[in-house]
Amino acid sequence: MKILVIGKGGREHALALAASQSTLCTELFAAPGNPGMAEIATLVPIDDNQMTELADFAASNDIDLTIVGPENALADGIVDEFAARGLKIFGPTKAAAQVEASKDFAKGLMKKHNIPTAGYQTFTDYDAACSYVKEHGAPIVIKENGLKAGKGVTVAMNEADALEALKIAFDIPGNSVVIEDYLEGFEFSLIALVNGENVYPLECAQDHKRVGDGDTGPNTGGMGSYSPVKKITPELVEETMETIMKPMAKALVEEGCPFTGFLYGGLMVTDKGPQVIEFNARFGDPEAEVILCRLESDFVKAILDVMENKEPELVWTNKTSHGVVLASEGYPAGATKGAAIEGVNEVDGLVYHMGTKMDEGRLLTNGGRVLMVVTLADKLEDAMANTYEEVKKVNCDKLFYRTDIGRKDLVDGEN
Ligand code: AMP
Ligand code: GLY
């Protein structure tokens, strides 16, 4: 089969790597891909938001299956475009992708279908939002509507921070916010392969979203992750499936926008059981990098089976994967670009490219999150030690990383 992966980040690198290992894959393309993916796929110089050009490419090159990575392409309707032209593609339609693109849509659906999530209210008016915050007090969570690459969320532990977040949000004309109750608990990510009402969970991962050690500083797209998450027992996964993932898939079917693709549950285990922090319409990043490298069975076959409503075979290694993101100085507020990176080939582990570019044979930084180094070991603490040993081999004075991804106190000491 000829397979096309759309996107250019670490998630897409992980999707492409998993696809390249399938016995069904005879030729792999990535659009636009990245320098890391160039080793396993033919790079196609079409950006991930150029829907028509991508569909033209898939049609004229007899692509048998397209796998979509980024949320923007999904929210723009790339799946609708491909489907209208009879091209096979794994991902949600524009309507179904609203589970991520519109917090308001997702929260409304959860409320209507009794899917456990934090209480919330939507505001389009700055003064009304401020009054609500003053009435409710902190901690409280402010979320800007729309796609924000994980960065439009403020978990305000005091009222002043909440009001400041509102001020920033409403500085953007026409912006609206969702204000949520604060949930306390253990956070994890569960990504499922979904087709209509059929929902098959992959192994869980935990992402570390804050930029700084000890879970401090602003939220990012994710600074590191590991899988599996021992604290998330099979019973908890089962409960999450029955109370959250399956009901959401069913809700989307009932709303007339059935979901196909990777449904990402950002979840919190609270004293009232698992609750939803957010849904995403695609694989997580940096979750894909630590989950897919643990899959021993055929990834492409699993996708094809799900698309035909057959139960996929999913076999996982017992090993724990652990990964650390190397980000550019200034991230998440901004990012330096164009700094030379050396030593990537020395790393004994997986190196996913998140934001790099090649310039006359030199690898350069090219975005906020730049590389992710992942290693596997029997235990999390060993994988953690390995990854941090390997990360040192990457040389670039404009990159930084968290030094505590997977640390015992942050993962509840049970892995
Ligand atoms: P989101 O982009 O919605 O996933 O939010 C980013 C991060 O903010 C999450 O991963 C959580 O750590 C935190 N967060 C979001 N919503 C809540 C909430 N209601 N209560 C506590 N923390 C939250
Ligand atoms: N790692 C969080 C996300 O992909 O949204």
Side-chain angles (χ1 to χ4, degrees), residues 2-6 16 25 27-31 37 40-44 57 61 63:
K2 291 167 95 174
I3 296 174
L4 169 66
V5 172
I6 292 178
C25 178
E27 221 177 331
L28 183 63
F29 299 87
M37 290 155 88
I40 50 172
T42 303
L43 303 190
V44 181
F57 174 83
N61 287 277
I63 298 294

Side-chain angles (χ1 to χ4, degrees), residues 39 141 157 185 218 295 342 369 374 398:
E39 291 169 20
V141 181
M157 298 314 284
L295 183 66
E342 276 163 14
R369 296 187 295 172
V374 174
K398 296 288 186 206

Side-chain angles (χ1 to χ4, degrees), residues 11 100 150 189 207 209 220-222 264 278 280 282-287 369:
R11 165 185 45 220
E100 172 167 10
S189 311
D207 179 13
K209 289 197 170 141
T220 69
Y264 171 121
E278 64 166 352
N280 290 327
R282 36 82 192 170
F283 223 118
D285 192 357
E287 286 91 343
R369 296 187 295 172

Side-chain angles (χ1 to χ4, degrees), residues 267-311:
L267 306 154
M268 187 83 92
V269 185
T270 69
D271 51 14
K272 288 191 244 147
Q275 300 214 25
V276 178
I277 293 175
E278 64 166 352
F279 280 110
N280 290 327
R282 36 82 192 170
F283 223 118
D285 192 357
E287 286 91 343
E289 293 90 325
V290 290
I291 294 174
L292 290 172
C293 67
R294 294 190 53 237
L295 183 66
E296 290 184 332
S297 50
D298 194 303
F299 179 54
V300 173
K301 175 86 170 57
I303 289 177
L304 294 174
D305 283 346
V306 169
M307 291 180 86
E308 285 168 24
N309 291 314
K310 282 195 252 168
E311 172 139 15

Side-chain angles (χ1 to χ4, degrees), residues 103 107 117-119 140-141 143 149-155 180-185 187 207 209-210 219-220 264 266 268 276-280:
K103 294 220 185 272
K107 292 296 273 187
T117 188
I140 197 160
V141 181
K143 298 187 176 183
K151 291 176 284 191
V153 174
T154 303
V155 180
E180 266 184 30
D181 297 344
Y182 174 75
L183 293 177
E184 182 127 38
E187 201 174 330
D207 179 13
K209 289 197 170 141
R210 300 292 188 116
N219 270 312
T220 69
Y264 171 121
M268 187 83 92
V276 178
I277 293 175
E278 64 166 352
F279 280 110
N280 290 327

